Amino acid sequence: MQERYTVNEHTVLEEYPRPQLVRGSYENLNGWWDFAIGNEETRPQYFPLSILVPFSPETKLSGLQTKITPNLRLWYHRTLTYTALSPDSRLLLHFEAVDHSCVVFLNGIEVGSHQGGYLPFSFDITDLLKEENDLLVKVVDPGDSEPIIRGKQASKASGIFYQGQSGIHQTVWIEEVPRFYIKNLIITPDLAQHCWYVQVIPNDGIHEVTISYLDGHKQCKGMSNQRLCCQVEKVHPWSPEDPYLYPLTIQMGNDIVTSYVGLRSFEVQDGRLLLNGKPYYQHGILDQGYWPHSLYTAPSDQAIIDDLVIVKKLGFNMVRKHAKVESRRWYHHCDVLGLLVWQDMVSGGRPPVQPIMSAPLFVPCFIVKDHHYRLLGSQDARYREMFATELTQMIETLYNCVSIAMWVIFNEGWGQFDAKEMYSLVKALDSTRTIDCTSGWYDQGIGEFSSRHVYFKRYRHQPDKLGRAIILSEFGGYLYRVEGHDDEGEKSFGYKHLHDRTAFNDAFFRLYEEEVYPAKQKGLAASVYTQLTDVQQELNGLVTFDRMVVKLDEVVALQVAALLLGTEE
């Protein structure tokens, strides 16, 4: 195992997990937990194993690397020691992500449950708290045996689908809060009006609120749940080239938290994407967010930063986060470093009927109306309900992330349904960002974009018949295998095979010079190359899966960036 994937068991992902709302009280519960696997619904008598939380049991970094089948129950256990709470205080237990369904018990009593493998949740455990506490978590993950929200996870990795993972896979932590505390912040930038709006959501009641900014020289006062306006005289906009952030301090009674905001705007106008009111070509890279020894979980906070720094060094100004929701720290680093983000909703449902899934790759005019649920794997009413619920929760969770420029609802028809209704849902939740309703296919003729995926053939730019902006939201996928740095499998997947570094770099440059740049000249608004890193058997990354080799020469990457970004009108 490479040194960069070793972790200190006493300081596992110890950084504060919620950078958009920071509070002084914080205790990290990552580390070694007791663990058991079984078929029984009731608490096991013994915990014969140990697992390094928050790494999934399928991973090497968990210390187990064992296969989990859909019928198994995962049992996590540890003792939680906590001295007496301050008067009128509460203790919250947070899980950043658990895949897929879990029930949490404290001292033998259920404190709550959660369904969905990608988003954070928490419980107030104050009333059950003792000095020595027995914390137990039961997890069930049906994987691809049921039509749940699961992204690229599969029981058998193949092609563009990867090894599944289960259980706790992001940070577990606790924090002490006052009796009345700030439960959430809703921060909405308004660049045109030189201000941002802050809505402070309390856990209960109505309270006075003070928001301090500009090093404390300005304050905005009001009441919780109100939309409070924080004005600045001279605007410093946020952009990838200048990711300026305004620090905020928010006080509500005895609760004080810090946050930040970036003033920026995203629009579509005359077929172009605008950033801060000006045309801005978004030169992007697809990122699946997988790691060789830890799957969904970055081995360290520095590993996240290293990935994003590579993206910047290669001249990209945008990342499309594909079929996955990352930890909140990932988005924070995009905010700080300056990278636009297109955020996918995680795919789900049943496997679509072939050739429905791949026909548009070869027959672009092939269209399926998405009320034909069975053809697209969305025939289960429960799945459609879960999708709408988790889509809503994802947008609410990530709303304050400055870098997110676009929401992507459906990808290539996987589990697609009622796109018009889902588009309206997202628009109602967030009118400040752009929306790619159906990335790749099946376009229902709505929304702001004609979103195209092109593999196996040349991209030939054609205007959208409905006059919408055109984005090349996936293309490329060139495979170049670097021996000794892949996932040690015999099979490999990619859309065009190159056999040495020179050929790979030449082909990459020609792709942009001969296809993408001419399309930009004709009105293409953005492009997203597939992909940042190799992932298991899919070896079409610009970086090897182990992150040890960058296949693309930096000089070639910067030539491409200059070609696309050097002549903005």
Side-chain angles (χ1 to χ4, degrees), residues 327-515:
S327 71
R328 289 185 274 195
R329 291 200 64 81
W330 186 89
Y331 302 94
H332 170 67
H333 291 310
C334 290
D335 296 344
V336 171
L337 291 171
L339 275 168
L340 298 172
V341 175
W342 292 7
Q343 177 61 50
D344 283 18
M345 173 55 189
V346 185
S347 304
R350 297 182 184 273
V353 177
Q354 286 288 14
I356 301 298
M357 183 174 179
S358 55
L361 278 172
F362 309 101
V363 186
C365 60
F366 189 85
I367 294 292
V368 173
K369 294 296 184 182
D370 63 13
H371 61 269
H372 297 299
Y373 299 154
R374 189 169 298 276
L375 292 177
L376 300 174
S378 56
Q379 60 265 46
D380 299 273
R382 178 61 183 143
Y383 156 72
R384 299 194 298 274
E385 293 170 5
M386 285 191 299
F387 186 95
T389 297
E390 293 186 35
L391 174 63
T392 299
Q393 292 172 348
M394 179 187 75
I395 292 171
E396 291 173 345
T397 299
L398 302 180
Y399 184 86
N400 294 341
C401 299
V402 177
S403 51
I404 296 179
M406 183 182 295
W407 302 114
V408 181
I409 303 177
F410 295 110
N411 181 74
E412 296 184 352
W414 304 348
Q416 185 175 321
F417 64 96
D418 302 338
K420 183 177 181 180
E421 287 76 8
M422 290 300 102
Y423 176 84
S424 297
L425 171 65
V426 175
K427 198 73 173 176
L429 290 167
D430 184 4
S431 62
T432 70
R433 294 175 169 101
T434 58
I435 303 168
D436 182 0
C437 188
T438 52
S439 184
W441 53 85
Y442 292 99
D443 186 0
Q444 304 298 300
I446 59 173
E448 299 130 318
F449 299 107
S450 170
S451 181
R452 302 171 182 179
H453 294 186
V454 176
Y455 297 110
F456 300 118
K457 58 186 177 183
R458 290 181 65 88
Y459 175 61
R460 302 184 186 278
H461 191 79
Q462 296 292 331
D464 179 53
K465 294 178 180 179
L466 299 176
R468 297 170 300 174
I470 299 169
I471 54 177
L472 185 56
S473 45
E474 283 188 37
F475 74 104
Y478 288 1
L479 185 155
Y480 162 46
R481 185 175 205 149
V482 182
E483 293 297 332
H485 293 279
D486 55 27
D487 203 38
E488 301 178 358
E490 294 182 2
K491 294 183 178 180
S492 59
F493 178 86
Y495 297 99
K496 180 176 181 178
H497 290 233
L498 287 310
H499 299 291
D500 61 64
R501 186 183 183 97
T502 299
F504 176 78
N505 277 270
D506 288 347
F508 182 88
F509 184 80
R510 287 197 308 273
L511 177 63
Y512 278 91
E513 182 184 43
E514 298 175 4
E515 300 181 38

